[in-house]
Amino acid sequence: MSKYQEKDIEFAQRLLTDRKSLDDKEVENWLADREHRALLDTVAALRGQLAAPHIDEQEEYRRLTRVLKHTRKTHRFARWLSAASIACTLGLAGYLALEQRTGNHPLPVASDLTQRPEHRVELILATGERMVLDGKNGIIGSNRESGIRESDNAGLDYSEASVAGKEEVFNTLKVPVGGFYSIQLADGTKVWVNSVSSLRYPVAFTGEKRKVFLTGEAYFDVAQSDTHPFIVEANGVEIQVYGTEFNVNAYEAGQVQTVLIEGSVGMRVMTSGEETRLQPNQMAEYRAQEKTIRLSEVDPFPYTAWRNGEFVFEQESLESILHRLARWYDIQVFYTGESLKRHKFSGIINRYEEIGDVLRLLEQVAIVRFEIKGNTVVVKPAV
């Protein structure tokens, strides 16, 4: 027998499909119950699994009820894995179920924005020559490096690259707004470089340390070596790797955020020498103004989902969400009121959608509305 009453299942269904018909106070009281919130997440997830085009609402309700009779527990990541839900929490909570679209996307990612000449992934060779990476270059080289391979589904591959002489020779990968690119370094380390980011790295690792330099965000899967430590330098910190997978976000000046997926890393402040070791599912945050590193337990998924083409927010302010969207869609954001920035949302959005479609999804919580004027998005109250 289900632990949920049919009236609660019906209420959750109405929250997801007809929120405006419900009384605000009634919704607030209903959501105050933890079991009701768990039910709402479950129903949102099940709608994502059961939904079909032009499905009859009554039939869907009957199907949801049948499935919930066998539901004894709400899984921790149900809403992330099965459906995308947006929640607005401003003393009053409203929910919206979004369709989660799946599918494989080729590398590098190409959106409408990346078709413009100023929005192309670039490789800067040691000679200073700049090359547009479009999957058609084949073998890349100059008089200082050779054997670099490019393909449209594997990105750059340095496994057979070589340099002239013994001096360490560097290349730089620059990813624009709306871009995303993968690279395999000479030691076998794999790096996924996010939008508005750059990675400077040796063509071949010849020194005692394997050191790279990051601006922006990247995900690393480091090839282990007991004799040649791997180090990422970004915004005044060094992240030393002991064989691992981790994400580094260094978009904001004077700030670095590292999330460890597996293995072990140490984050060291370069000015003081202070080092903090991370364990899996931990995040280290450095802010230059505070001159210290803060460590916390996290779920890595929201911090690494960008690698799979998704924006994930968990109780994140609209200002922060739109700031992230701006790096992908190359937009400017203008708010008609400061309070609009503080609205909070949770959910998943496929970042291969058009910006207009993404904003329309956010509008459906009936809290804000957007006007798009060229590359500017104006945020206004819904009323």
Side-chain angles (χ1 to χ4, degrees):
M1 186 68 181
S2 170
K3 63 180 178 180
Y4 303 120
Q5 297 181 27
E6 287 199 13
K7 65 177 183 179
D8 290 324
I9 298 173
E10 183 179 2
F11 194 89
Q13 176 83 334
R14 288 182 64 192
L15 260 178
L16 294 168
T17 59
D18 193 19
R19 166 65 184 86
K20 292 181 180 179
S21 70
L22 297 172
D23 177 73
D24 287 351
K25 190 63 177 178
E26 184 182 14
V27 172
E28 184 176 3
N29 292 338
W30 191 85
L31 287 170
D33 188 318
R34 180 183 299 177
E35 290 295 325
H36 289 166
R37 295 196 299 272
L39 169 63
L40 190 61
D41 279 344
T42 302
V43 172
L46 291 173
R47 281 176 59 85
Q49 292 173 326
L50 300 176
H54 312 299
I55 191 169
D56 179 83
E57 284 292 329
Q58 291 185 349
E59 174 58 23
E60 183 179 11
Y61 171 73
R62 286 193 290 269
R63 295 170 72 196
L64 283 168
T65 304
R66 286 198 298 271
V67 174
L68 283 167
K69 285 182 179 179
H70 302 287
T71 302
R72 305 301 301 170
K73 182 180 180 182
T74 300
H75 295 289
R76 181 182 178 190
F77 303 123
R79 67 181 183 277
W80 300 133
L81 300 179
S82 304
S85 63
I86 282 188
C88 173
T89 54
L90 300 165
L92 166 68
Y95 279 72
L96 166 68
L98 304 177
E99 177 184 1
Q100 180 178 352
R101 296 170 176 84
T102 59
N104 296 322
H105 303 278
L107 293 175
V109 169
S111 70
D112 289 340
L113 290 171
T114 60
Q115 302 309 305
R116 300 203 299 267
E118 68 269 27
H119 291 106
R120 298 295 185 101
V121 178
E122 278 191 324
L123 175 65
I124 304 175
L125 300 175
T127 58
E129 180 184 357
R130 306 172 82 99
M131 302 189 65
V132 172
L133 299 178
D134 55 9
K136 301 175 183 178
N137 291 301
I139 304 298
I140 297 172
S142 72
N143 60 3
R144 300 193 65 186
E145 67 265 86
S146 61
I148 305 164
R149 186 180 299 275
E150 183 204 6
S151 66
D152 57 0
N153 54 341
L156 286 175
D157 186 348
Y158 282 74
S159 58
E160 298 179 5
S162 60
V163 298
K166 297 182 179 180
E167 182 183 354
E168 202 164 43
V169 172
F170 284 82
N171 283 180
T172 301
L173 178 69
K174 299 193 72 173
V175 181
V177 293
F180 166 64
Y181 208 84
S182 66
I183 177 173
Q184 179 168 305
L185 301 179
D187 64 339
T189 292
K190 295 179 181 179
V191 188
W192 290 261
V193 184
N194 204 357
S195 175
V196 196
S197 302
S198 66
L199 184 72
R200 184 171 179 264
Y201 51 89
V203 173
F205 293 102
T206 57
E208 293 183 0
K209 297 179 179 180
R210 299 172 291 163
K211 189 170 184 177
V212 301
F213 303 84
L214 174 68
T215 301
E217 184 170 28
Y219 182 101
F220 294 84
D221 184 354
V222 177
Q224 188 168 356
S225 172
D226 295 332
T227 55
H228 296 83
F230 191 96
I231 297 172
V232 180
E233 181 176 325
N235 284 352
V237 301
E238 289 185 337
I239 302 157
Q240 183 156 331
V241 182
Y242 305 95
T244 188
E245 290 187 40
F246 61 103
N247 192 80
V248 180
N249 183 329
Y251 277 124
E252 305 299 331
Q255 299 182 31
V256 181
Q257 181 189 83
T258 299
V259 175
L260 181 61
I261 288 79
E262 64 178 55
S264 178
V265 302
M267 179 185 279
R268 185 178 70 86
V269 180
M270 296 175 67
T271 55
S272 66
E274 174 197 355
E275 181 178 82
T276 299
R277 284 286 190 104
L278 284 78
Q279 298 300 317
N281 301 328
Q282 287 186 332
M283 176 173 66
E285 294 181 278
Y286 167 74
R287 288 180 171 81
Q289 290 181 337
E290 299 174 5
K291 299 180 181 179
T292 187
I293 296 171
R294 292 188 297 174
L295 197 64
S296 58
E297 302 289 330
V298 297
D299 167 18
F301 176 65
Y303 301 93
T304 61
W306 64 266
R307 192 166 64 102
N308 297 318
E310 294 170 328
F311 291 111
V312 176
F313 349 108
E314 189 165 13
Q315 287 300 288
E316 190 170 339
S317 71
L318 183 62
E319 181 180 29
S320 175
I321 290 170
L322 293 180
H323 188 55
R324 291 169 59 189
L325 294 180
R327 285 196 291 261
W328 183 255
Y329 293 107
D330 191 24
I331 58 173
Q332 302 293 321
V333 182
F334 175 78
Y335 297 87
T336 60
E338 286 296 308
S339 63
L340 297 171
K341 298 178 179 180
R342 296 193 289 272
H343 295 321
K344 292 185 178 180
F345 297 85
S346 296
I348 299 176
I349 291 178
N350 188 325
R351 70 178 186 172
Y352 299 94
E353 300 294 339
E354 296 292 333
I355 180 61
D357 295 335
V358 171
L359 296 179
R360 277 192 290 274
L361 289 172
L362 291 170
E363 280 182 333
Q364 290 184 46
V365 296
I367 296 295
V368 295
R369 64 185 179 93
F370 304 95
E371 289 184 7
I372 302 176
K373 301 179 180 179
N375 255 31
T376 300
V377 174
V378 180
V379 187
K380 299 182 176 183
V383 180

